[in-house]
Amino acid sequence: MTIDGARLEASALRVLRQVPGVAVVEESPRGSDRGADAVLHFAGTHVPVVVEFKRRANAATAWQLVHYATVHPDMAAVLIADETTAEARVILERHGIGVIDGLGNAHLELPGLLLHLEGRRPRGDATAPPTRLSGKAGVAAQALLLAPERKWHVQDLAQEAGIAKGLAHRVLARLEREELVTAEGVGPQRVRRLTNPTALLDLWAEENVDRPRRTAGYALARTPQELVRELGRGLDARGLTHAVTGAAAASLIAPFVTAVPIVQVWVSAKAPPEDVLDATSAESVTDGENVVLLQAKDDTPLAFREKAGDTWIANRFRLYVDLRRDPRRGREQANHVREEVIGF
């Protein structure tokens, strides 16, 4: 395949020249190719494309390009970047947008052409965003998702999320740069409103990192539903803040799988694991567990927990993110929760 990139900037050309099997020429597109940034030549045909170059592309960047492609459906779009995240590549591929990056990843799918290459991982955290949506910053993202129509002052978001005003400002400023929120007014009267909750959810899911302490246990129960009820009663009786998550929580609000072999529960970070096990009447085990107690370095996973009947469960966005990481059909369950409960 040959790419005519006469109108591309040097950074984009550098990335393209690293792709195996791709030749780059610099001849000006003309005639019917006006308006194109580049032209792809393959199998005796040529396709004009619009090219967007970014140093680093994440889920928010991908959704920006999806929006552009939706508004301009008459020409194929391709993202070229030094680095792309896995989530960004999934979003772009799902919406038929090509992607090529400097890590060796490439996906182009056009009539008569399929190019797919798997590259290497990015180098450490050198390109990590300044305000990553994890921990307390992630709680701010969840607050925005839970009230997508609300207009936010910085102090309102800080109060709702229980975070410092400085962090709330940095989160909103970053999301404004990512074009996920819009701003009105100046100074103390400046307010921001979420404009793309879909992209924000994908961005938070991509950047949120949990490394919880896991305590495995086994408790007698005839059914998973009975186990969930008994766990909740025991923890409530001891005054231990908690939220059921994973497949067990999903089964209460959007049933998808019939078997729930393990009940996962977020528990307050300050609670000694042995006290939590005692409250649930579970025995500590090294295998064969049906209960897993999760404790993070703080209580951010418990933010905005919800009630499903008499049971405390993780809020719908936290549940979605937790399910995505479950190797037991977690992605399928997460997508079901997103479709049936979240709605975007």
Side-chain angles (χ1 to χ4, degrees):
M1 180 180 73
T2 301
I3 297 180
D4 185 341
R7 294 177 181 170
L8 296 179
E9 57 185 279
S11 298
L13 291 172
R14 171 178 49 77
V15 172
L16 288 174
R17 290 188 175 109
Q18 298 173 7
V19 182
V22 174
V24 180
V25 298
E26 298 183 53
E27 299 175 359
S28 298
R30 55 187 179 273
S32 61
D33 300 332
R34 285 177 182 167
D37 296 315
V39 179
L40 307 184
H41 299 273
F42 58 92
T45 187
H46 69 279
V47 177
V49 296
V50 173
V51 174
E52 179 75 11
F53 178 79
K54 296 287 185 180
R55 187 179 66 82
R56 185 179 189 276
N58 56 27
T61 314
W63 279 109
Q64 292 173 21
L65 195 51
V66 169
H67 175 71
Y68 177 87
T70 302
V71 176
H72 302 87
D74 52 327
M75 193 172 296
V78 176
L79 172 70
I80 299 176
D82 284 327
E83 293 187 9
T84 59
T85 63
E87 191 69 24
R89 295 193 297 274
V90 168
I91 293 168
L92 293 170
E93 183 176 341
R94 191 166 66 229
H95 289 84
I97 297 172
V99 57
I100 300 172
D101 71 21
L103 299 174
N105 299 292
H107 185 88
L108 292 173
E109 190 168 355
L110 296 165
L113 171 67
L114 175 59
L115 171 67
H116 185 85
L117 299 172
E118 298 284 344
R120 63 187 188 278
R121 291 179 178 273
R123 302 179 300 277
D125 293 325
T127 59
T131 306
R132 191 176 182 87
L133 298 184
S134 188
K136 292 182 179 180
V139 176
Q142 292 170 75
L144 294 168
L145 289 167
L146 286 163
E149 299 300 324
R150 180 173 173 177
K151 293 184 177 181
W152 296 88
H153 290 92
V154 169
Q155 61 267 29
D156 295 335
L157 181 60
Q159 182 175 1
E160 187 72 16
I163 61 176
K165 289 183 181 179
L167 178 57
H169 179 268
R170 291 196 299 274
V171 169
L172 288 171
R174 183 204 167 182
L175 297 182
E176 188 176 344
R177 291 194 302 271
E178 300 276 16
E179 300 182 12
L180 302 186
V181 302
T182 56
E184 302 172 9
V186 295
Q189 303 305 314
R190 189 175 181 83
V191 294
R192 294 178 175 89
R193 184 175 64 83
L194 180 62
T195 56
N196 196 335
T198 300
L200 178 57
L201 178 55
D202 283 334
L203 184 62
W204 176 55
E206 175 182 83
E207 296 189 350
N208 183 67
V209 177
D210 294 307
R211 296 184 178 89
R213 176 171 58 186
R214 303 170 66 89
T215 303
Y218 183 84
L220 292 174
R222 288 171 293 186
T223 65
Q225 293 75 20
E226 179 182 306
L227 178 58
V228 169
R229 288 194 299 270
E230 293 303 315
L231 289 174
R233 288 169 184 165
L235 294 168
D236 280 336
R238 298 286 184 91
L240 295 171
T241 306
H242 66 281
V244 177
T245 190
S251 70
L252 298 176
I253 60 172
F256 182 74
V257 296
T258 55
V260 182
I262 298 176
V263 177
Q264 297 177 310
V265 188
W266 285 108
V267 186
S268 176
K270 296 180 180 179
E274 56 273 16
D275 290 354
V276 179
L277 279 175
D278 183 61
T280 61
S281 300
E283 296 181 4
S284 178
V285 297
T286 56
D287 56 53
E289 69 272 16
N290 63 353
V291 177
V292 173
L293 305 173
L294 306 171
Q295 292 177 285
K297 64 180 180 180
D298 55 29
D299 286 347
T300 53
L302 296 168
F304 310 116
R305 62 178 184 156
E306 305 173 358
K307 267 290 185 76
D310 295 328
T311 302
W312 283 108
I313 66 171
N315 79 68
R316 65 201 69 179
F317 303 110
R318 160 58 66 171
L319 174 57
Y320 169 75
V321 169
D322 288 345
L323 283 168
R324 280 166 49 101
R325 298 194 174 100
D326 187 342
R328 298 176 297 271
R329 300 184 67 187
R331 283 275 182 166
E332 293 177 74
Q333 295 179 78
N335 291 338
H336 184 69
V337 167
R338 186 165 185 168
E339 181 179 340
E340 297 296 325
V341 180
I342 295 174
F344 55 78

